[in-house]
Amino acid sequence: MQNKCAWCESKNICDSKETVYWELPDGTRAIQINDTPSTVCSECDMVYQSDDLVKEIEDQLFLIDTKKIGKEISYAKLMEQPRLLKRNYFDFTS
């Protein structure tokens, strides 16, 4: 858990599981991802995901057959989807 809000820097934050909406890498549609690990700030009411989690979700969506996903999926089920590649070979950031 972070020790302060990424937006207002308040220390009044907590971990939560939230519903988020994500555009697929091919841009054809968006999906609802339920129970996504998130941070909630009680000061500014911001709900957000860590940069590491955003990258994890984006990599997973890039590496799986998204045609097999309906309009909504849980975070756990999304991360369990079989990958077509072992890793994102197009990510040159690491």
Side-chain angles (χ1 to χ4, degrees):
M1 182 171 125
Q2 303 169 28
N3 58 4
K4 63 182 179 176
C5 175
W7 300 93
C8 73
E9 299 189 352
S10 168
K11 293 188 183 231
N12 295 325
I13 59 171
C14 63
D15 289 334
S16 182
K17 301 229 182 222
E18 301 292 330
T19 297
V20 299
Y21 300 89
W22 224 275
E23 183 177 357
L24 296 180
D26 63 5
T28 56
R29 63 189 172 109
I31 60 170
Q32 177 178 312
I33 306 172
N34 300 317
D35 300 321
T36 305
S38 302
T39 300
V40 177
C41 177
S42 60
E43 293 286 325
C44 70
D45 294 325
M46 191 58 115
V47 178
Y48 60 95
Q49 295 71 46
S50 70
D51 291 341
D52 289 340
L53 188 85
V54 168
K55 181 172 178 4
E56 185 178 328
I57 291 171
E58 289 182 352
D59 281 349
Q60 183 69 352
L61 289 171
F62 187 76
L63 296 172
I64 64 173
D65 183 358
T66 57
K67 291 178 182 77
K68 294 182 179 179
I69 298 175
K71 292 181 182 179
E72 103 181 54
I73 191 169
S74 73
Y75 171 78
K77 292 284 185 194
L78 173 66
M79 300 315 287
E80 290 172 358
Q81 295 295 306
R83 292 180 167 194
L84 302 173
L85 297 171
K86 291 182 182 179
R87 66 181 191 90
N88 184 350
Y89 294 100
F90 302 100
D91 179 6
F92 302 110
T93 60
S94 51

